[in-house]
Amino acid sequence: MRKINDPAQFGRVAVVMGGSSAEREVSLDSGRNVLAALQARGVDAQGIDGIPALLDALRAGHFARVFNILHGQHGGGEDGVLQGALESLHVPYTGSGVLGSALSMDKTRSKRVWQSLGLPTPKFVPLPRGADVHAAAKQIGFPLIVKPSCEGSSVGVTRVFEERDLDAAVALAAKYPGDLLMEALIEGDELTIGILGRQVLPSIHIVPKGAFYDYNAKYVAEDTRYICPGLEGDSEASLRALALEAFDALGCHGWGRVDVMRDTQGRNWLLEVNTAPGMTSHSLVPKAAAVSGIDYQELCWRVLETSFREEQ
């Protein structure tokens, strides 16, 4: 990854945040933090809310590059659509390109890629609209998870332990665009691994006070515990290696975060990759970076360096 020493080398930077996805508020919070950090390091950065305003500003020649901290799909900037627009305008940007962004946003297709490569991911059944969810549940067995295939931040996710709760779980997930996904619920520890350039950050073992790491535990609650590194010795090394393999398999680059469940037998199961992870006060990549000696401002600087693609 290209190293930048002078903030002027970045040119004027648009920090694009907010947008119109279900994760708008989280993105605004992330964006405000990133903007303040870059400005504190002397970067000529300005916040822009959403893709239409960003594209107007870019066509008018106002910015040299983009720090993308939009989250989610359909105006969320994490599904490949924004990346395609920026490629067509020849504007450099942070994070993964069109392919990596689109594949990672679609959990069903992510899992198919991993499956084809022999990488471990929980048993799953895609649920197109109108699918027989009870037949799918018989294939998976309880307990299971129902979620939108293309949302993040645990939006629309339900853990289902009995068939009587299945229809309500499907109804919740169906409130969001796109198809649904049903997968086996892995009971055990939830871990996440940040990736910065080619550096794999220490894993984080997430210990929510409630039943699982839902939206409230991620962004609101103050009682979620984070243990970093989440594992030790060979277990930690193999987990980090798996995370990088999963990240590369989806064509991702720049930076991101890989979410994993570790079952009670110590086996790791890939859940998803986030290509524009949260950068809020509760977020995980900044926590892991801090353990590696990378403070928040330095982290934002290094993410911005990923916009120089030619040297990745």
Side-chain angles (χ1 to χ4, degrees), residues 22 29 49 71 79 83 99 116 179 189 208 216 235 309:
D29 192 0
D49 189 342
H71 304 319
D79 58 2
Q83 289 74 15
L99 176 65
S116 73
D179 291 339
D189 296 333
N216 186 73
S235 295
R309 294 249 188 272

Side-chain angles (χ1 to χ4, degrees), residues 143-166:
L144 54 82
I145 295 237
V146 175
K147 63 176 81 170
S149 186
C150 297
E151 294 289 343
S153 293
S154 300
V155 170
V157 176
T158 306
R159 290 153 49 104
V160 184
F161 293 89
E162 298 179 24
E163 187 155 10
R164 66 184 181 188
D165 299 321
L166 188 58

Side-chain angles (χ1 to χ4, degrees), residues 1 192-204 228-230 235-248 254-260 270 284-285 287-294 299 302:
M1 190 165 69
T192 193
I193 306 94
I195 293 172
L196 182 58
R198 300 304 293 168
Q199 179 181 359
V200 184
L201 299 174
S203 72
I204 296 178
C228 184
S235 295
E236 173 73 7
S238 63
L239 177 61
R240 291 195 207 181
L242 174 64
L244 186 59
E245 195 174 356
F247 188 76
D248 289 344
W255 75 302
R257 203 188 75 229
V258 182
D259 295 341
V260 174
L270 295 163
L284 300 166
V285 172
K287 292 181 191 298
V291 170
S292 297
I294 304 168
L299 173 61
R302 292 199 196 179

